[in-house]
Amino acid sequence: PDRATIANMSPEFGCTVTYFPIDDRTLDYMRRTNRKEDQIQLVEDYAKANMLWRKDEHKISYTNVLELDLDTVEPTVSGPKRPQDKILVKDFKPKFEELLKEFHGRDYIPIDRRAKSRWFGEGGSNYSLGVTEVAPPPEPEKKQNGLKTVEVQLNNERYQLHDGSIVIAAITSCTNTSNPSVMIGAGLVARKARERGLDVKPWVKTSLAPGSKVVTDYLQNAGLLEDLEALRFHVVGYGCTSCIGNSGPLPPHIAKAVDDNELVVASVLSGNRNFEARIHPQVKMNYLMSPLLVVAYALAGRVDLDLYNEPLGFDPNLEPVFLKDIWPSNDEIFEVMSKVLSPDDYKKNYGEIFEGNEQWQLLETPEDKVYQWSDESTYIKEAPFFKGISEQVRDPLDIISAKVLLKLGDSITTDHISPAGSFSKNSPAGQYLSEKGVESRQFNSYGSRRGNDEVMVRGTFANVRIKNELASREGGYTTYLPTGEEMTVFDASNLYQNAGTPLVVLAGKEYGSGSSRDWAAKGTTLLGVKAVLAESYERIHRSNLVGMGVLPLQYLNGESAESLGLTGRETISIKGISDGLFPLKKLQAEAVKEDGQVVEFEVLSRMDSAIEVEYYRHGGILNYVLRQFLKQD
């Protein structure tokens, strides 16, 4: 399971795939997960015949070898914006203080956590023991830009929320929740915490979303599901939840406190992606960690904590409880695993996986060979990508007199570009659905409406954290250059397309990094963007842009929008396309500034192979495949 977890996270550490040599442990895993014996035998025979089998006496020869001293491996988390931003757990508290200053301009001034009636103090350190009768926070003595704190009350419960408070704790993600060792480990942390009288802090919204119903079965068999549920980690579903922004709204009193006081609150989750605004639009710091640590931090309720030296809380006898007191050993985890993991669970759950529930079974299934699109549906709509397609391929033309839709900086991820998570009734997507008679409580999420291009195009570049230099505010806004009016990216795109004006996007380094999803490229082309000009690209998103007929261009080495003096208010032309394209061809770019000054420079066409040139000539891979299909027919 650990090998599978690591291999599954290959994109997060920058490679296409991760292989582990095949051995007896591989076959044992297959048996435990109910693979058939003839399939297991085939794997063994194939691996041995092709010298892919690991055995002690066989020395595998590798082209390159990297050595890792296992004594140097330490518990880590990552965040607050990217999965590759590693933080050692022992350094988490000072790193949080540093990030709070770097990203939000606030100095870390510790707050008084004392409770009036119950508190424990020694050596000047005071820790909150409960959520009732909490003393109001003291007025900031030193700096106005220090740690923000607000007292929140709901019914008879009063407590302090502050920068660094955890408002979402989610055991989630198909990657980690399919690994029995970490899931059972999380259950044991919950059990030991209960035994010591600890509970999750009341301001933390918790959830448990296993990757499979098998997980629920073995947690139940071990009696650990009861322990997790006692800490409010209830099973909320099987699939994409908090990882893709489906954790739902924060409780109203928490949401109001966060917004009214501009609190920098946090989420902790066992997912593998935490890009800006992906988890929740109100949560500005998102940290990835193991399921065991998710439970531990939910107990503490905050990330500004030295997990090794500060207690998670206090037991009923006012004794401090530390992480080491509730952390299970590997032997404890494996002992439970050996008792509760059964191939029968896999057989039962995967054997009936396609049966569905009663609602699914009662659905009427049409027998038409061609799908009958419904004009009434706001979920599924015929995609527009083949509209106006000709049988013959038209050679692409130069891009003349284009306007800049967005001018962006470095590390713009596909989560900044692609629609993800929830959206408000005031957003272009929300306004569209409202006009269709859909109430805001039924908006669901972008992910659930990915079959409706009208919703998705309105959510492209609409991330609430995206920073466009052509807008005065954060979020999906830009300036419509002909009039100087600031508006949403979608509204500006409509005006440009109605006027027949081609569009380009300017960006910095690592454009399209992160999880590569189809709508980051689909939405870009539907907005009328003909080219993206960046300093460098994430490889999959670059390929996806070509696949949707958008030309990825790259500045030559040492050049950038800044070095060329481009502000994004220029009129841009790209010449040399109509002369014929080939991989990595240099094209001529011309930027005309508002005062008439002309900046000329070369750009690299990032179509890296002959087949990518063909895709682009056809207007994208969809058009290419359709034409190939019609030829065969």
Side-chain angles (χ1 to χ4, degrees):
D2 293 334
R3 299 179 195 178
T5 300
I6 293 169
N8 198 16
M9 293 192 72
S10 297
E12 277 65 57
F13 51 81
C15 70
T16 303
V17 67
T18 303
Y19 287 114
F20 286 88
I22 300 166
D23 57 18
D24 287 321
R25 293 292 291 273
T26 310
L27 305 186
D28 179 58
Y29 176 77
M30 294 180 72
R31 287 190 178 92
R32 286 176 177 268
T33 52
N34 196 45
R35 268 62 169 191
K36 294 180 179 178
E37 277 300 325
D38 58 348
Q39 175 72 16
I40 297 172
Q41 189 62 52
L42 176 62
V43 169
E44 181 177 0
D45 293 345
Y46 182 89
K48 289 180 175 177
N50 289 278
M51 294 184 290
L52 297 173
W53 185 265
R54 167 177 278 172
K55 55 182 179 180
D56 293 338
E57 62 271 19
H58 178 63
K59 177 77 172 175
I60 300 175
S61 177
Y62 295 99
T63 306
N64 295 295
V65 176
L66 299 176
E67 294 189 0
L68 172 67
D69 182 351
L70 294 180
D71 282 340
T72 65
V73 176
E74 295 187 49
T76 64
V77 301
S78 70
K81 298 181 179 183
R82 304 185 305 174
Q84 64 264 42
D85 294 332
K86 184 178 78 170
I87 303 172
L88 296 179
V89 169
K90 68 179 182 183
D91 298 331
F92 197 0
K93 183 175 181 178
K95 187 64 177 178
F96 166 78
E97 298 172 13
E98 176 189 321
L99 294 170
L100 189 68
K101 176 71 172 177
E102 178 183 349
F103 293 139
H104 305 286
R106 299 180 189 174
D107 293 308
Y108 183 83
I109 303 172
I111 63 172
D112 189 344
R113 303 182 190 279
R114 285 176 296 182
K116 283 183 179 177
S117 57
R118 298 173 60 198
W119 65 281
F120 174 86
E122 185 175 350
S125 297
N126 301 306
Y127 304 98
S128 174
L129 296 179
V131 296
T132 59
E133 296 298 320
V134 180
E139 291 294 323
E141 299 173 6
K142 309 171 182 83
K143 303 176 185 177
Q144 291 182 346
N145 63 339
L147 197 71
K148 287 195 174 184
T149 308
V150 61
E151 187 172 279
V152 176
Q153 181 166 344
L154 179 66
N155 301 324
N156 295 322
E157 230 173 23
R158 293 169 61 208
Y159 44 79
Q160 293 178 38
L161 272 184
H162 58 84
D163 294 334
S165 289
I166 295 167
V167 294
I168 292 175
I171 301 175
T172 181
S173 166
C174 55
T175 303
N176 285 316
T177 58
S178 295
N179 186 330
S181 62
V182 295
M183 294 303 292
I184 287 171
L188 289 171
V189 170
R191 174 173 291 175
K192 291 170 178 284
R194 287 185 70 196
E195 290 170 350
R196 291 299 303 268
L198 298 187
D199 198 0
V200 169
K201 295 298 185 287
W203 55 85
V204 183
K205 183 173 186 176
T206 51
S207 62
L208 170 60
S212 164
K213 288 186 176 182
V214 174
V215 180
T216 308
D217 284 350
Y218 65 63
L219 287 175
Q220 255 176 340
N221 294 339
L224 295 173
L225 190 60
E226 177 184 345
D227 294 301
L228 287 164
E229 289 179 342
L231 298 184
R232 305 201 309 278
F233 282 98
H234 293 270
V235 175
V236 297
Y238 302 90
C240 296
T241 55
S242 299
C243 299
I244 191 60
N246 288 340
S247 57
L250 298 178
H253 64 295
I254 301 291
K256 187 176 188 303
V258 171
D259 284 345
D260 290 353
N261 299 277
E262 298 181 338
L263 295 179
V264 181
V265 291
S267 74
V268 294
L269 63 153
S270 62
N272 53 356
R273 292 167 185 149
N274 60 338
F275 304 106
E276 285 191 294
R278 179 185 175 104
I279 308 306
H280 195 286
Q282 291 177 291
V283 181
K284 295 181 179 179
M285 287 188 162
N286 302 283
Y287 294 97
L288 307 179
M289 56 190 64
S290 76
L292 293 83
L293 285 176
V294 170
V295 177
Y297 276 103
L299 294 167
R302 57 192 178 100
V303 295
D304 58 324
L305 174 79
D306 181 348
L307 211 57
Y308 291 144
N309 298 303
E310 294 182 53
L312 298 170
F314 293 79
D315 67 17
N317 296 319
L318 303 188
E319 291 296 326
V321 181
F322 292 88
L323 180 66
K324 64 182 180 181
D325 299 326
I326 63 170
W327 196 264
S329 68
N330 285 339
D331 288 343
E332 288 178 285
I333 293 173
F334 292 134
E335 181 183 355
V336 174
M337 283 176 60
S338 64
K339 291 178 180 177
V340 300
L341 283 185
S342 168
D344 292 338
D345 290 334
Y346 289 88
K347 182 178 181 180
K348 176 176 74 75
N349 282 286
Y350 288 100
E352 59 190 31
I353 194 169
F354 294 110
E355 291 181 12
N357 58 19
E358 182 182 1
Q359 210 173 6
W360 174 263
Q361 291 171 355
L362 291 176
L363 283 175
E364 292 184 18
T365 52
E367 297 181 2
D368 307 80
K369 290 187 177 180
V370 177
Y371 185 79
Q372 301 300 313
W373 302 99
S374 169
D375 293 334
E376 303 303 314
S377 176
T378 56
Y379 279 95
I380 300 176
K381 183 176 174 292
E382 185 174 7
F385 302 116
F386 296 124
K387 284 182 180 176
I389 184 175
S390 62
E391 191 173 340
Q392 300 302 317
V393 180
R394 298 169 185 159
D395 287 329
L397 302 174
D398 292 344
I399 299 170
I400 303 298
S401 299
K403 292 294 186 181
V404 178
L405 185 61
L406 300 103
K407 183 176 184 294
L408 305 167
D410 296 338
S411 296
I412 295 298
T413 71
T414 47
D415 282 86
H416 288 108
I417 306 167
S418 180
S422 60
F423 50 91
S424 74
K425 62 183 179 182
N426 298 321
S427 67
Q431 292 171 6
Y432 164 81
L433 289 176
S434 295
E435 291 168 4
K436 294 287 185 181
V438 180
E439 296 180 22
S440 57
R441 63 186 178 85
Q442 295 178 320
F443 281 179
N444 212 318
S445 65
Y446 282 120
S448 69
R449 294 186 181 272
R450 64 188 299 113
N452 186 333
D453 63 277
E454 295 283 7
V455 172
M456 300 301 279
V457 69
R458 285 165 170 78
T460 304
F461 291 110
N463 184 298
V464 297
R465 297 281 174 263
I466 196 169
K467 297 176 180 66
N468 177 15
E469 294 179 28
L470 293 179
S472 63
R473 50 185 162 165
E474 202 175 50
Y477 299 95
T478 194
T479 298
Y480 180 60
L481 296 172
T483 64
E485 183 184 356
E486 190 166 294
M487 60 185 69
T488 67
V489 169
F490 174 75
D491 288 340
S493 160
N494 263 353
L495 292 176
Y496 282 125
Q497 291 193 73
N498 290 338
T501 304
L503 297 170
V504 297
V505 171
L506 302 182
K509 301 179 183 68
E510 299 177 344
Y511 184 76
S513 60
S515 53
S516 58
R517 296 193 306 279
D518 56 338
W519 269 106
K522 288 178 180 176
T524 298
T525 195
L526 290 180
L527 286 172
V529 174
K530 302 302 179 186
V532 175
L533 176 53
E535 292 178 59
S536 62
Y537 289 90
E538 189 275 336
R539 59 191 177 82
I540 302 176
H541 183 60
R542 179 205 60 78
S543 178
N544 286 350
L545 287 174
V546 176
M548 290 310 302
V550 178
L551 181 59
L553 303 171
Q554 189 166 315
Y555 295 101
L556 299 188
N557 284 340
E559 292 187 342
S560 65
E562 283 63 39
S563 71
L564 295 167
L566 302 182
T567 65
R569 296 181 177 273
E570 297 82 5
T571 299
I572 294 179
S573 298
I574 308 294
K575 300 175 181 178
I577 300 171
S578 59
D579 297 342
L581 291 167
F582 52 84
L584 300 174
K585 180 181 181 180
K586 288 184 180 178
L587 302 172
Q588 302 301 313
E590 177 186 272
V592 181
K593 293 180 172 290
E594 293 173 293
D595 61 4
Q597 179 187 349
V598 178
V599 180
E600 295 181 339
F601 55 101
E602 284 188 320
V603 294
L604 188 66
S605 162
R606 284 300 311 276
M607 289 181 287
D608 295 357
S609 64
I611 190 61
E612 288 189 335
V613 173
E614 274 301 290
Y615 293 158
Y616 182 73
R617 284 186 60 249
H618 280 259
I621 191 171
L622 298 176
N623 296 353
Y624 174 86
V625 171
L626 178 61
R627 289 188 177 112
Q628 297 300 311
F629 175 77
L630 293 175
K631 277 183 185 177
Q632 295 172 3
D633 198 45

